[in-house]
Amino acid sequence: MFAKIQWDQPIPKLFPKMALPCVAYMVANGGANLLQTVFALPLGEQTVAALGIMFSALSLLQAVGYAIALGGGTLFSPALAREQEEEICSIGGATIWLDLVAGSVLGCLALLFALAFLCIHLIKCVKIGWKHRAETSTNPNPK
């Protein structure tokens, strides 16, 4: 399915093989978000605003992942040139684990952020419900 990358190829031939999957993912992700926005338009402004916030959060998560991968690649390349297999494996493993940990931490922070907004919304709904219940109990026959 995937072609094996030959590291001894010249860079102009190797670069498209390495870059095209990342570019294709980013284009597909942007297209999916655009379609979500188009289908969410009839649901109202708040829905589209929420999609905009989530797109920004997803972009931040991707930027952190790319930054960690770029740092790992900076360490990985010289080890690959020196053909130090043990160091290559340790750098690759550490990069993957750091990416997973950073993604998990950011995901947990996003969940806490969403939970805080949900609690604020529920508190407002409860207050509105109590206010409405108080108004209807004092005036049983509203006009």
Side-chain angles (χ1 to χ4, degrees), residues 20-30 58 62 66:
L20 283 178
C22 184
V23 171
Y25 166 75
M26 293 176 81
V27 168
N29 187 30
L58 182 62
Q62 288 174 342
Y66 289 146

Side-chain angles (χ1 to χ4, degrees), residues 53-137:
I53 290 171
M54 289 312 301
F55 182 72
S56 301
L58 182 62
S59 297
L60 175 67
L61 187 63
Q62 288 174 342
V64 169
Y66 289 146
I68 292 171
L70 182 65
T74 303
L75 297 173
F76 187 83
S77 296
L80 187 64
R82 292 189 300 263
E83 297 179 0
Q84 297 173 331
E85 289 188 27
E86 187 175 317
E87 189 175 349
I88 290 170
C89 290
S90 66
I91 290 170
T95 302
I96 290 171
W97 277 108
L98 185 59
D99 241 349
L100 288 172
V101 168
S104 299
V105 167
L106 286 173
C108 288
L109 288 174
L111 285 174
L112 288 174
F113 186 72
L115 185 62
F117 273 106
L118 179 64
C119 289
I120 290 169
H121 182 69
L122 287 175
I123 289 170
K124 285 182 181 178
C125 288
V126 168
K127 285 182 181 178
I128 290 171
W130 283 342
K131 184 178 179 183
H132 178 69
R133 194 176 308 150
E135 289 173 357
T136 57
S137 65

Side-chain angles (χ1 to χ4, degrees), residues 32-42 48 51-52:
N33 284 319
L34 182 64
L35 282 174
Q36 288 175 357
T37 305
V38 167
F39 286 114
L41 281 173
V48 176
L51 283 172

